[in-house]
Amino acid sequence: MEITPECIPCLLGRVLFEAELCAPKRADAAMRDSLKILSENYRPRANSAEVATRVHRRVYEIIGCKDPYARLKERSDEVASSLLPRAKEYIDQSSDPLRAAAVVAIAGNVMDFGIPGHDAPEQLSAEFEAILEQGLDIDDIDKMRQRLGPGKKVIYLLDNCGEGVLDRLLIEEIKRTGTKVVGVAKGEPVLTDVTIPDAKRAGLDEAFDEIISTGMFAVGIDTRRMSDKLGEELNSADLIVAKGMANFESLSGTDFRPIIYLMRAKCRPVARAIGARKGDNVAKLFV
């Protein structure tokens, strides 16, 4: 996705949030270097995820913290785990468990800290029922269902911690169709995204048939730097399930297909790019 003017204050807000989490006295340096990177990289057709990656890599260096969101990630898992009984009830009572599990997985996407209106893991508890009641505003689950079944393979691109706990329910529904599901976690801590250790803490390593790493520090997935293994998996998939906005930002301009993006459209630029409205629950398939 091409970076937009609205991306700039959002990105800088996250920089300040990260600095205040770990090293408030280094916030000035973090903001100064971020502005420099933005001035050098904000240009027509620049990819928003690639620019964000450059910014966050430098900020992590300045604040001297490898995982600024570590405690928030753990708390997010705790909050999401407390909602599992209600999530399972919602799916069990549905006439379409796959669609219901997708709504649950999208609900978890509300946890995304450092952007306006998303400040604490407990926000998910407050909004969970309303998101379930809202359902899907863009609904391509039936098209997704057609690509599942015995002998099929899904590559599942994880997004945030907490969200990953709820993803497990959707993974289970996909596997009930006889589909093999390979999970992809981040190679290094970046924002609140699930790494391999985070996945193990949430039990996701047991939910997937296999779990692999992106092998890199990147917001979303940088396809130019990904391993041959990850490239082969994406190219051989019968379906790619991409959770969250960053995966959309990094992959929407690529040729990886078929891919279904599952997200809460939390900002206007992403919402416009995917054909939704801000606040929509989105399950949109591209073939």
Side-chain angles (χ1 to χ4, degrees):
M1 187 188 90
E2 184 174 344
I3 196 167
T4 74
E6 289 176 76
C7 298
I8 305 305
C10 182
L11 184 52
L12 291 174
R14 280 199 128 146
V15 168
L16 182 58
F17 186 81
E18 291 163 7
E20 291 179 339
L21 280 175
C22 291
K25 292 182 179 179
R26 298 180 184 175
D28 283 345
M31 294 295 279
R32 185 167 53 249
D33 277 29
S34 296
L35 287 166
K36 183 175 185 292
I37 292 169
L38 286 168
S39 70
E40 293 171 348
N41 291 275
Y42 184 71
R43 59 186 184 275
R45 293 181 296 281
N47 181 270
S48 56
E50 292 177 10
V51 174
T53 296
R54 294 189 182 99
V55 168
H56 290 298
R57 183 188 288 114
R58 179 57 183 148
V59 170
Y60 281 29
E61 293 172 354
I62 290 172
I63 64 178
C65 186
K66 185 177 180 180
D67 193 357
Y69 297 85
R71 180 65 191 110
L72 276 171
K73 293 197 295 183
E74 293 175 3
R75 181 59 187 148
S76 296
D77 281 354
E78 293 166 2
V79 169
S81 294
S82 73
L83 295 169
L84 278 174
R86 172 59 184 132
K88 291 176 180 177
E89 178 186 50
Y90 174 79
I91 293 168
D92 290 343
Q93 291 179 351
S94 172
S95 60
D96 190 339
L98 180 66
R99 178 172 279 107
V103 174
V104 166
I106 289 169
N109 189 233
V110 76
M111 290 195 285
D112 203 357
F113 313 117
I115 61 176
H118 300 268
D119 301 317
E122 288 71 20
Q123 179 184 359
L124 178 61
S125 298
E127 298 184 15
F128 194 62
E129 288 296 334
I131 295 173
L132 296 186
E133 184 176 347
Q134 180 178 337
L136 295 175
D137 299 287
I138 295 179
D139 183 355
D140 283 345
I141 296 300
D142 285 337
K143 296 177 183 178
M144 171 184 176
R145 197 189 325 266
Q146 294 170 6
R147 289 165 171 79
L148 307 178
K152 303 290 188 179
K153 181 174 71 173
V154 161
I155 305 301
Y156 198 106
L157 306 180
L158 293 162
D159 190 32
N160 300 317
C161 289
E163 179 181 353
V165 171
L166 298 175
D167 282 331
R168 184 167 183 169
L169 301 179
L170 177 55
I171 295 160
E172 291 171 354
E173 290 300 326
I174 294 172
K175 288 178 67 174
R176 283 194 179 95
T177 69
T179 304
K180 178 182 179 180
V181 186
V182 177
V184 179
K186 290 296 187 295
E188 298 179 36
V190 55
L191 303 177
T192 57
D193 289 3
V194 176
T195 62
I196 295 291
D198 296 325
K200 291 180 178 178
R201 185 179 65 243
L204 284 164
D205 57 324
E206 300 173 357
F208 290 118
D209 293 292
E210 181 184 358
I211 186 166
I212 62 175
S213 163
T214 62
M216 70 182 86
F217 179 102
V219 175
I221 293 179
D222 187 338
T223 58
R224 298 173 303 177
R225 294 189 290 125
M226 66 183 178
S227 66
D228 291 341
K229 166 70 171 173
L230 180 54
E232 290 168 3
E233 291 288 358
L234 291 171
N235 281 313
S236 64
D238 295 288
L239 177 68
I240 301 167
V241 175
K243 289 298 304 296
M245 298 197 303
N247 280 322
F248 173 76
E249 291 178 63
S250 62
L251 294 175
S252 57
T254 71
D255 294 327
F256 289 112
R257 300 286 191 275
I259 184 167
I260 187 166
Y261 295 100
L262 303 181
M263 72 172 77
R264 178 89 167 165
K266 298 185 290 286
C267 72
R268 290 190 299 178
V270 169
R272 284 195 299 265
I274 203 168
R277 300 163 300 179
K278 183 180 177 181
D280 278 357
N281 296 330
V282 177
K284 187 160 184 177
L285 180 73
F286 292 81
V287 295

